[in-house]
Amino acid sequence: MKDDIFQFMADYAKYYISNPSTAPVYQEVDLNNLKNRLQAGLQESPKEPFQVIHQLIEDLEKGTINSSGSRFFGWVMGGHLKSALAADWLVSLWDQNVALSASAPSLSIIEEITGEWLKTILGLPPQASYSFVTGCQLAHVTCLCSARHHLYCQMGYNIEKSGLYHLPPIKVIVSPKYHGSIRRALRFIGMGLENLIVLPADPAGNINIEAYRYILQANQSFPQMVILQAGDVNTGEFDAFAELIPLAHKYNAWVHIDGAFGLWVNASPAHQHLLAGVDTADSWAIDGHKWLNVPFDSAYAFIRHRESHLAAMSHKESYLIHSSDFRDPIDWTPEWSRRGRALPTYAAILELGNEGIRDLIVRCCDLTKSLVAQLKESSFVKIESYPVINQALVSFVYNKDGQAVNFTDSVLQRLQKRGKVFFGGTDWNNKRCMRISVCNWQTSQKDIDETAIEIIVATNNVFNNNTP
Ligand SMILES: *Cc1c(COP(=O)(O)O)cnc(C)c1O
C-alpha cells in the first residue's frame, strides 16, 4: 500500500484535518533553511510520484499555518467545509476546463445554478449576471470593467474598441471604509488613482451626506462611479446604502459594493437590516473563501446590467464551440482556461442549506461578541471597536508614569510565538490594534473561551516580562 499515492493522500488528509483546534497556527521552521532545501530539489534524475509527495509533505507541512483551523482569527480567512474541500478535490481530479459548456458540460451547469442560488441567498436582483473568479480582488476588476463599459457606452463611446485614451476620466467616489483592493483594481484597468475621491465621514464613520451630494454634483459632467462598503475589514461596518445609492443614481453614477464578507449577513435575520437598500446597486463583489468556508480561491462578481458585463468580458473564436443552450463561463470572466471553481461553493451550499448558512453567520457574530466580552475583563484590554458583525478591534494598553503605553504588537508577537491562536494587527484611528475576525465554521464556544484565556495569559506574560 505504501506506494499507492492516492491511498496515502487520503490517509494524510484525514490526519491533517483531525485536530482543527490544536495544530500550530504559526510556522515552526526556519524559512531560509527550507528555501535552500527546496531550491536544491531540481535534479537530473526523475523521482517516483509517491516519493515526490512524501517529500513535499515532509518539507512543507511544518511551514504551513493552520489558517483553516478553529483558532485562527487573523485577517478574514475562513476554513473549508468538508464537502467543499472534497468537491475541490473532485475539481482537480476531473480536471475540466470550465471555459466552455462544450469542454466542461456538467461543471458549466453547476456554475450557472450556483450563480442563481447565490443571488437568492445574498438577496441580489434576479436579473444580475455573475462570474466565478479567484478573489474579491478579481471580482472588483470584473465589476469595474463592466461599469467602465456601461458608463462610456452611455456617453456614446465604445471603449473596448477605442481604449481609454483621450476619454473624459471616470471619477471614482469611494467610501472612507474602502479596501485597498479597490485601488489595485483601478490600477489594473487603466483608470489610475488620480480620479479617486475619498468621501469625508464623521468620527463614527458615517459618510457626510452633504459632502457626498456636493461631490456628485460638482463632478456630474464626468462619468462617475461610487464604491461603497458592506463590511469594513477592521470594524465590520456598513455604509448607509438606502440613503447613498439613490443619490448616486440621481447623478447617473454606477454603484459598486465591496461585500467581500459582509454581504453574507443577508442570511442572518438579526443583521439583515445592515444591508437595507444594497440590492439597488449596480455590481457586487463577494468572497466564498472567507465566510462561506470554501477553500481558496473562490469569489463571485454580480452585475445588474448583463449586457455591459457581456460587452466587457465575452469572447468568441472560430475554433471554440459556443453553446446556444448553456452558459459558456468564458463570456463572463476575465480568464480563459479555468478550473471548476463553482463546485466547492455548490457543495458548501448543499451541505449547509439555508439553515446552516444562517447558523454559520449568526454563530460567528455571537462568538465575536463573546470573545470581546471576555477580553474586556482584562485591565490591559481596551475595546476600540465593538463587533457589528464578526469583526472587532482591541488594543493592549498599560499605564507608565501616568502615560498610556500601547503594547499591542508585543502581545501579537507573543501570541504568534506560542502558536495556539492567531490574530493580526492593524492601524486604526492612529492606534495600533489587534483585529479579531471570527469566520471559521468549526470555531466553537470552547475555542473562544480558551482563546480568551490564551490572550490574557500572553498579555500578562508580556507585561511581567516572563517567558511564555
Ligand atoms: C479580503 C477583502 C478583499 C480582497 O479579497 P480577496 O479575496 O483577497 O481578493 C476586498 N475587500 C474586502 C472588504 C476584503 O475583506
Coordinates of all heavy atoms in Angstrom, one line a residue, residues 142-218:
T142 N -13.6 42.6 -12.5 CA -14.7 42.2 -13.4 C -15.9 43.2 -13.3 O -16.4 43.6 -14.4 CB -15.2 40.8 -13.0 OG1 -14.1 39.9 -12.9 CG2 -16.3 40.3 -14.0
C143 N -16.2 43.6 -12.1 CA -17.3 44.6 -12.0 C -17.0 45.9 -12.6 O -17.8 46.6 -13.2 CB -17.7 44.7 -10.5 SG -18.5 43.3 -9.8
L144 N -15.8 46.4 -12.3 CA -15.4 47.7 -12.7 C -15.2 47.8 -14.2 O -15.4 48.8 -14.9 CB -14.2 48.2 -12.0 CG -14.3 48.4 -10.4 CD1 -13.2 49.2 -9.8 CD2 -15.7 49.0 -10.1
C145 N -14.7 46.7 -14.8 CA -14.7 46.6 -16.3 C -16.1 46.8 -16.9 O -16.3 47.5 -17.9 CB -14.0 45.3 -16.8 SG -12.3 45.3 -16.6
S146 N -17.0 46.1 -16.3 CA -18.4 46.2 -16.7 C -18.9 47.6 -16.6 O -19.6 48.2 -17.4 CB -19.3 45.2 -16.0 OG -18.7 44.0 -16.0
A147 N -18.6 48.2 -15.4 CA -19.0 49.6 -15.1 C -18.5 50.6 -16.1 O -19.1 51.5 -16.6 CB -18.6 50.0 -13.7
R148 N -17.2 50.4 -16.4 CA -16.5 51.3 -17.3 C -17.1 51.2 -18.7 O -17.4 52.2 -19.3 CB -15.0 50.7 -17.4 CG -14.0 51.6 -18.0 CD -12.7 50.9 -17.9 NE -12.6 49.6 -18.7 CZ -11.5 48.9 -18.9 NH1 -10.4 49.3 -18.4 NH2 -11.6 47.8 -19.6
H149 N -17.4 50.0 -19.2 CA -18.1 49.9 -20.4 C -19.4 50.6 -20.4 O -19.8 51.4 -21.3 CB -18.4 48.4 -20.8 CG -19.3 48.2 -22.0 ND1 -18.8 48.2 -23.2 CD2 -20.6 48.2 -22.1 CE1 -19.8 48.1 -24.1 NE2 -20.9 48.1 -23.4
H150 N -20.2 50.4 -19.3 CA -21.6 50.9 -19.2 C -21.6 52.4 -19.2 O -22.3 53.0 -20.0 CB -22.1 50.4 -17.9 CG -23.6 50.6 -17.7 ND1 -24.5 49.7 -18.2 CD2 -24.3 51.6 -17.1 CE1 -25.7 50.1 -18.0 NE2 -25.6 51.3 -17.3
L151 N -20.7 53.0 -18.4 CA -20.7 54.5 -18.3 C -20.2 55.1 -19.6 O -20.8 56.1 -20.1 CB -19.7 54.9 -17.2 CG -20.2 54.5 -15.8 CD1 -19.1 54.7 -14.8 CD2 -21.4 55.3 -15.4
Y152 N -19.2 54.6 -20.3 CA -18.8 55.2 -21.5 C -19.8 54.9 -22.7 O -20.0 55.8 -23.5 CB -17.4 54.7 -21.9 CG -16.3 55.4 -21.1 CD1 -15.3 54.6 -20.4 CD2 -16.2 56.8 -21.1 CE1 -14.3 55.2 -19.7 CE2 -15.2 57.4 -20.3 CZ -14.3 56.6 -19.7 OH -13.3 57.2 -19.0
C153 N -20.4 53.8 -22.6 CA -21.4 53.5 -23.6 C -22.5 54.5 -23.6 O -23.0 55.0 -24.6 CB -21.9 52.1 -23.3 SG -23.0 51.5 -24.6
Q154 N -22.9 54.9 -22.3 CA -24.0 55.9 -22.2 C -23.6 57.2 -22.8 O -24.4 58.0 -23.2 CB -24.3 56.1 -20.7 CG -25.2 55.0 -20.1 CD -25.4 55.3 -18.6 OE1 -24.7 56.0 -18.0 NE2 -26.4 54.6 -18.1
M155 N -22.2 57.5 -22.9 CA -21.8 58.7 -23.5 C -21.5 58.6 -25.0 O -20.9 59.5 -25.6 CB -20.5 59.2 -22.8 CG -20.7 59.4 -21.3 SD -19.1 59.8 -20.4 CE -18.9 61.5 -20.9
G156 N -21.7 57.4 -25.5 CA -21.6 57.2 -26.9 C -20.2 56.7 -27.3 O -19.8 56.7 -28.5
Y157 N -19.4 56.2 -26.3 CA -18.0 55.7 -26.6 C -18.1 54.2 -26.6 O -18.8 53.6 -25.7 CB -17.0 56.2 -25.6 CG -16.8 57.7 -25.6 CD1 -17.2 58.4 -24.4 CD2 -16.3 58.4 -26.7 CE1 -17.0 59.8 -24.4 CE2 -16.1 59.7 -26.6 CZ -16.5 60.4 -25.5 OH -16.3 61.8 -25.4
N158 N -17.2 53.5 -27.4 CA -17.0 52.1 -27.3 C -15.6 51.8 -26.8 O -14.7 51.8 -27.6 CB -17.3 51.4 -28.6 CG -17.1 49.9 -28.6 OD1 -16.5 49.4 -27.6 ND2 -17.5 49.2 -29.6
I159 N -15.4 51.7 -25.5 CA -14.0 51.7 -25.0 C -13.3 50.3 -25.3 O -12.1 50.3 -25.4 CB -13.9 52.0 -23.5 CG1 -14.5 50.8 -22.7 CG2 -14.4 53.3 -23.1 CD1 -13.6 50.4 -21.6
E160 N -14.1 49.3 -25.6 CA -13.5 48.0 -26.0 C -12.8 48.3 -27.3 O -11.8 47.6 -27.6 CB -14.5 46.9 -26.1 CG -14.9 46.2 -24.8 CD -15.6 47.2 -23.8 OE1 -16.4 48.0 -24.3 OE2 -15.4 47.1 -22.6
K161 N -13.2 49.2 -28.1 CA -12.6 49.5 -29.4 C -11.6 50.6 -29.3 O -10.4 50.4 -29.7 CB -13.7 50.0 -30.3 CG -13.6 49.4 -31.7 CD -14.9 49.7 -32.5 CE -14.6 50.0 -33.9 NZ -15.8 50.4 -34.7
S162 N -11.9 51.7 -28.6 CA -11.0 52.9 -28.6 C -10.0 52.8 -27.5 O -9.1 53.6 -27.5 CB -11.9 54.1 -28.5 OG -12.5 54.2 -27.2
G163 N -10.2 52.0 -26.5 CA -9.4 52.1 -25.3 C -9.8 53.4 -24.5 O -10.7 54.1 -24.9
L164 N -9.1 53.6 -23.4 CA -9.4 54.7 -22.6 C -8.8 56.0 -23.0 O -9.1 57.1 -22.5 CB -8.9 54.4 -21.1 CG -9.6 53.4 -20.4 CD1 -8.9 53.1 -19.0 CD2 -11.1 53.8 -20.1
Y165 N -7.9 55.9 -24.1 CA -7.2 57.1 -24.5 C -8.1 58.3 -24.9 O -9.1 58.1 -25.6 CB -6.3 56.8 -25.7 CG -5.4 55.6 -25.3 CD1 -5.7 54.4 -25.9 CD2 -4.3 55.8 -24.5 CE1 -4.9 53.3 -25.6 CE2 -3.5 54.7 -24.1 CZ -3.8 53.5 -24.7 OH -3.0 52.4 -24.4
H166 N -7.8 59.4 -24.4 CA -8.5 60.7 -24.7 C -10.0 60.7 -24.3 O -10.7 61.6 -24.8 CB -8.4 60.9 -26.3 CG -7.1 60.7 -26.8 ND1 -6.0 61.4 -26.4 CD2 -6.6 59.8 -27.8 CE1 -4.9 61.0 -27.0 NE2 -5.2 60.0 -27.9
L167 N -10.4 59.8 -23.4 CA -11.8 59.9 -22.9 C -11.8 60.7 -21.6 O -10.8 60.8 -20.9 CB -12.3 58.5 -22.7 CG -12.5 57.6 -23.9 CD1 -13.2 56.4 -23.5 CD2 -13.3 58.4 -25.0
P168 N -12.9 61.3 -21.3 CA -13.0 62.0 -20.0 C -12.9 61.0 -18.9 O -13.4 59.9 -19.0 CB -14.4 62.6 -20.1 CG -15.2 61.9 -21.1 CD -14.1 61.4 -22.1
P169 N -12.1 61.3 -17.9 CA -11.9 60.3 -16.8 C -13.1 60.0 -16.0 O -14.0 60.9 -15.9 CB -10.8 61.0 -15.9 CG -11.0 62.4 -16.2 CD -11.4 62.6 -17.6
I170 N -13.2 58.8 -15.6 CA -14.3 58.4 -14.7 C -13.9 58.8 -13.2 O -12.8 58.5 -12.8 CB -14.6 56.9 -14.7 CG1 -15.0 56.4 -16.1 CG2 -15.6 56.5 -13.6 CD1 -15.2 54.9 -16.3
K171 N -14.8 59.6 -12.6 CA -14.5 59.9 -11.2 C -15.0 58.8 -10.3 O -16.1 58.3 -10.4 CB -15.3 61.2 -10.8 CG -14.9 62.4 -11.6 CD -13.4 62.9 -11.3 CE -13.0 64.0 -12.2 NZ -11.6 64.4 -12.0
V172 N -14.1 58.3 -9.5 CA -14.4 57.2 -8.6 C -14.5 57.6 -7.2 O -13.5 58.0 -6.5 CB -13.3 56.1 -8.7 CG1 -13.7 54.8 -7.9 CG2 -13.1 55.7 -10.2
I173 N -15.7 57.7 -6.7 CA -16.0 58.2 -5.4 C -16.2 57.1 -4.4 O -17.0 56.2 -4.6 CB -17.3 59.1 -5.4 CG1 -17.1 60.2 -6.5 CG2 -17.7 59.6 -4.1 CD1 -18.4 60.8 -6.9
V174 N -15.3 57.0 -3.4 CA -15.2 55.8 -2.5 C -15.5 56.1 -1.1 O -15.2 57.2 -0.6 CB -13.9 55.1 -2.6 CG1 -13.6 54.6 -4.0 CG2 -12.7 56.0 -2.1
S175 N -16.1 55.1 -0.4 CA -16.4 55.2 1.0 C -15.1 55.3 1.7 O -14.1 54.7 1.3 CB -17.1 53.9 1.4 OG -17.0 53.7 2.8
P176 N -15.0 56.0 2.8 CA -13.8 56.1 3.6 C -13.4 54.7 4.2 O -12.2 54.5 4.5 CB -14.1 57.1 4.8 CG -15.6 57.2 4.8 CD -16.1 56.9 3.4
K177 N -14.3 53.8 4.2 CA -14.0 52.4 4.6 C -13.4 51.5 3.5 O -13.2 50.3 3.7 CB -15.3 51.7 5.1 CG -16.1 52.5 6.2 CD -17.4 51.7 6.5 CE -18.3 52.4 7.5 NZ -19.1 53.5 6.8
Y178 N -13.2 52.1 2.4 CA -12.8 51.3 1.2 C -11.6 50.5 1.4 O -10.6 50.9 2.1 CB -12.7 52.1 -0.1 CG -11.4 52.8 -0.3 CD1 -10.5 52.3 -1.3 CD2 -11.0 54.0 0.3 CE1 -9.3 52.9 -1.5 CE2 -9.8 54.6 0.1 CZ -9.0 54.0 -0.8 OH -7.8 54.6 -1.1
H179 N -11.6 49.3 0.8 CA -10.5 48.3 0.9 C -9.4 48.6 -0.1 O -9.7 49.0 -1.3 CB -11.0 46.9 0.8 CG -10.1 45.8 1.1 ND1 -9.3 45.2 0.1 CD2 -9.8 45.1 2.2 CE1 -8.6 44.2 0.7 NE2 -8.9 44.2 1.9
G180 N -8.1 48.3 0.2 CA -7.0 48.6 -0.7 C -7.2 47.9 -2.1 O -6.6 48.4 -3.1
S181 N -7.9 46.8 -2.1 CA -8.1 46.1 -3.4 C -8.8 46.9 -4.5 O -8.7 46.7 -5.6 CB -8.8 44.8 -3.2 OG -10.0 45.0 -2.5
I182 N -9.5 47.9 -4.0 CA -10.2 48.9 -5.0 C -9.1 49.7 -5.7 O -9.1 49.8 -6.9 CB -11.1 49.8 -4.2 CG1 -12.3 49.0 -3.6 CG2 -11.6 50.9 -5.1 CD1 -13.2 48.4 -4.5
R183 N -8.1 50.2 -5.0 CA -7.1 50.9 -5.6 C -6.3 50.1 -6.6 O -6.0 50.5 -7.7 CB -6.0 51.4 -4.5 CG -6.4 52.7 -3.9 CD -5.1 53.4 -3.3 NE -4.3 52.5 -2.5 CZ -4.5 52.2 -1.2 NH1 -5.5 52.8 -0.6 NH2 -3.7 51.4 -0.6
R184 N -6.1 48.8 -6.3 CA -5.4 48.0 -7.2 C -6.2 47.7 -8.4 O -5.7 47.6 -9.5 CB -5.0 46.7 -6.5 CG -3.7 46.1 -7.0 CD -3.0 45.3 -5.9 NE -3.6 44.0 -5.8 CZ -3.0 42.9 -6.0 NH1 -1.7 42.9 -6.5 NH2 -3.6 41.7 -5.9
A185 N -7.5 47.5 -8.2 CA -8.4 47.3 -9.4 C -8.3 48.4 -10.3 O -8.2 48.3 -11.6 CB -9.8 47.0 -8.9
L186 N -8.3 49.7 -9.8 CA -8.3 50.9 -10.6 C -7.0 50.9 -11.4 O -6.9 51.3 -12.6 CB -8.5 52.1 -9.8 CG -9.8 52.2 -9.1 CD1 -9.9 53.5 -8.2 CD2 -11.0 52.3 -10.2
R187 N -5.9 50.5 -10.7 CA -4.6 50.5 -11.4 C -4.6 49.5 -12.6 O -4.2 49.8 -13.7 CB -3.5 50.1 -10.4 CG -3.0 51.2 -9.6 CD -2.1 50.7 -8.4 NE -1.1 49.8 -8.8 CZ -0.6 48.8 -8.0 NH1 -1.0 48.8 -6.7 NH2 0.3 48.0 -8.4
F188 N -5.1 48.3 -12.3 CA -5.2 47.2 -13.3 C -5.9 47.7 -14.6 O -5.5 47.3 -15.7 CB -5.9 46.0 -12.8 CG -5.1 45.2 -11.7 CD1 -5.7 44.1 -11.1 CD2 -3.8 45.5 -11.4 CE1 -5.1 43.4 -10.2 CE2 -3.1 44.7 -10.5 CZ -3.8 43.7 -9.8
I189 N -7.0 48.3 -14.4 CA -7.8 48.6 -15.5 C -7.6 50.0 -16.1 O -8.4 50.4 -16.9 CB -9.3 48.3 -15.3 CG1 -9.9 49.3 -14.3 CG2 -9.5 46.9 -14.7 CD1 -11.4 49.2 -14.2
G190 N -6.5 50.5 -15.8 CA -6.1 51.8 -16.5 C -6.9 53.0 -16.1 O -6.9 54.0 -16.8
M191 N -7.5 53.0 -15.0 CA -8.3 54.1 -14.5 C -7.5 55.0 -13.6 O -7.9 56.2 -13.3 CB -9.6 53.7 -13.9 CG -10.6 53.2 -15.0 SD -12.1 52.5 -14.5 CE -12.6 53.7 -13.3
G192 N -6.4 54.5 -13.1 CA -5.5 55.3 -12.3 C -6.0 55.7 -11.0 O -7.2 55.5 -10.7
L193 N -5.2 56.3 -10.1 CA -5.6 56.7 -8.8 C -5.9 58.2 -8.7 O -6.5 58.7 -7.7 CB -4.5 56.3 -7.8 CG -4.1 54.8 -7.8 CD1 -3.0 54.6 -6.9 CD2 -5.4 54.0 -7.4
E194 N -5.6 59.0 -9.7 CA -5.8 60.4 -9.6 C -7.3 60.8 -9.6 O -7.6 61.9 -9.2 CB -5.1 61.1 -10.8 CG -3.7 61.4 -10.5 CD -3.0 62.1 -11.6 OE1 -3.7 62.5 -12.6 OE2 -1.8 62.3 -11.5
N195 N -8.1 59.9 -10.1 CA -9.5 60.3 -10.1 C -10.3 59.7 -8.9 O -11.5 59.6 -9.0 CB -10.1 59.8 -11.4 CG -9.6 60.7 -12.6 OD1 -9.8 61.9 -12.6 ND2 -8.8 60.0 -13.4
L196 N -9.6 59.2 -7.9 CA -10.2 58.6 -6.7 C -10.5 59.7 -5.8 O -9.7 60.6 -5.4 CB -9.2 57.7 -6.1 CG -9.7 56.8 -5.0 CD1 -10.5 55.7 -5.5 CD2 -8.5 56.2 -4.3
I197 N -11.8 59.8 -5.3 CA -12.2 60.8 -4.3 C -12.7 60.0 -3.1 O -13.7 59.3 -3.2 CB -13.3 61.7 -4.9 CG1 -12.8 62.3 -6.2 CG2 -13.8 62.7 -3.9 CD1 -14.0 63.0 -7.0
V198 N -12.0 60.2 -2.0 CA -12.5 59.5 -0.8 C -13.4 60.5 0.0 O -13.2 61.6 0.3 CB -11.3 59.2 0.2 CG1 -11.7 58.5 1.4 CG2 -10.2 58.4 -0.6
L199 N -14.6 59.9 0.3 CA -15.7 60.7 0.9 C -15.3 61.0 2.4 O -14.8 60.2 3.1 CB -17.0 59.9 0.9 CG -17.6 59.8 -0.5 CD1 -18.6 58.7 -0.6 CD2 -18.2 61.1 -1.0
P200 N -15.7 62.2 2.8 CA -15.5 62.5 4.2 C -16.5 61.9 5.1 O -17.7 61.6 4.6 CB -15.6 64.1 4.3 CG -16.4 64.4 3.1 CD -16.2 63.4 2.0
A201 N -16.2 61.6 6.3 CA -17.1 60.9 7.2 C -17.0 61.5 8.6 O -16.0 62.2 8.9 CB -16.8 59.4 7.3
D202 N -18.0 61.3 9.4 CA -18.0 61.8 10.8 C -17.1 60.8 11.6 O -16.7 59.7 11.1 CB -19.4 62.0 11.4 CG -20.1 60.7 11.5 OD1 -19.5 59.6 11.5 OD2 -21.4 60.7 11.7
P203 N -16.8 61.1 12.9 CA -15.9 60.2 13.7 C -16.5 58.8 13.8 O -15.7 57.8 13.9 CB -15.9 60.9 15.1 CG -16.2 62.3 14.8 CD -17.1 62.3 13.6
A204 N -17.8 58.6 13.7 CA -18.3 57.3 13.8 C -18.2 56.5 12.4 O -18.6 55.4 12.3 CB -19.8 57.3 14.2
G205 N -17.7 57.2 11.4 CA -17.5 56.5 10.1 C -18.7 56.7 9.1 O -18.7 56.2 8.0
N206 N -19.7 57.5 9.5 CA -20.8 57.7 8.6 C -20.5 58.7 7.5 O -20.0 59.8 7.9 CB -22.1 58.2 9.3 CG -22.5 57.2 10.4 OD1 -22.6 56.0 10.1 ND2 -22.6 57.7 11.6
I207 N -20.7 58.4 6.3 CA -20.4 59.4 5.2 C -21.2 60.6 5.3 O -22.4 60.6 5.6 CB -20.7 58.7 3.8 CG1 -19.7 57.6 3.6 CG2 -20.7 59.7 2.7 CD1 -20.0 56.7 2.4
N208 N -20.6 61.8 5.2 CA -21.2 63.0 5.3 C -22.1 63.2 4.0 O -21.6 63.4 2.9 CB -20.2 64.1 5.4 CG -20.8 65.5 5.5 OD1 -21.8 65.8 4.8 ND2 -20.2 66.4 6.3
I209 N -23.4 63.2 4.2 CA -24.3 63.2 3.0 C -24.2 64.5 2.2 O -24.4 64.4 1.0 CB -25.7 62.8 3.5 CG1 -26.6 62.4 2.3 CG2 -26.3 63.9 4.3 CD1 -26.5 61.0 1.9
E210 N -24.0 65.6 2.9 CA -24.0 66.8 2.2 C -22.7 66.9 1.3 O -22.8 67.4 0.1 CB -24.1 68.0 3.1 CG -25.5 68.3 3.6 CD -26.6 68.1 2.5 OE1 -26.4 68.7 1.4 OE2 -27.6 67.4 2.8
A211 N -21.6 66.5 1.8 CA -20.4 66.5 1.1 C -20.5 65.5 -0.1 O -20.1 65.8 -1.2 CB -19.2 66.1 2.0
Y212 N -21.2 64.4 0.1 CA -21.4 63.4 -0.9 C -22.2 64.0 -2.1 O -21.8 63.8 -3.2 CB -22.1 62.2 -0.2 CG -22.5 61.1 -1.1 CD1 -21.6 60.3 -1.8 CD2 -23.9 60.7 -1.2 CE1 -22.0 59.2 -2.5 CE2 -24.3 59.7 -2.0 CZ -23.4 58.9 -2.7 OH -23.8 57.8 -3.4
R213 N -23.3 64.6 -1.7 CA -24.1 65.2 -2.7 C -23.4 66.3 -3.5 O -23.4 66.4 -4.7 CB -25.4 65.9 -2.0 CG -26.4 66.4 -3.0 CD -27.4 67.4 -2.3 NE -27.9 66.8 -1.1 CZ -29.0 66.0 -1.0 NH1 -29.7 65.7 -2.1 NH2 -29.4 65.6 0.2
Y214 N -22.6 67.1 -2.8 CA -21.8 68.1 -3.4 C -20.8 67.5 -4.4 O -20.7 68.0 -5.5 CB -21.1 69.0 -2.3 CG -20.1 70.0 -2.9 CD1 -20.6 71.2 -3.4 CD2 -18.8 69.7 -3.1 CE1 -19.7 72.1 -4.0 CE2 -17.9 70.6 -3.7 CZ -18.4 71.8 -4.2 OH -17.5 72.6 -4.8
I215 N -20.1 66.5 -4.0 CA -19.1 65.9 -4.9 C -19.7 65.3 -6.1 O -19.2 65.5 -7.2 CB -18.3 64.8 -4.1 CG1 -17.4 65.5 -3.0 CG2 -17.4 63.9 -5.0 CD1 -16.8 64.5 -2.0
L216 N -20.9 64.6 -6.0 CA -21.6 64.1 -7.1 C -22.0 65.2 -8.1 O -21.9 65.1 -9.3 CB -22.8 63.3 -6.7 CG -22.6 61.9 -6.1 CD1 -23.9 61.4 -5.3 CD2 -22.2 60.9 -7.2
Q217 N -22.5 66.2 -7.5 CA -23.0 67.4 -8.3 C -21.8 68.1 -9.0 O -21.9 68.3 -10.2 CB -23.6 68.4 -7.4 CG -24.7 69.2 -8.0 CD -25.6 69.8 -6.9 OE1 -25.1 70.1 -5.8 NE2 -26.9 70.0 -7.2
A218 N -20.7 68.3 -8.3 CA -19.6 69.0 -8.8 C -18.9 68.2 -10.0 O -18.3 68.8 -10.8 CB -18.6 69.3 -7.7

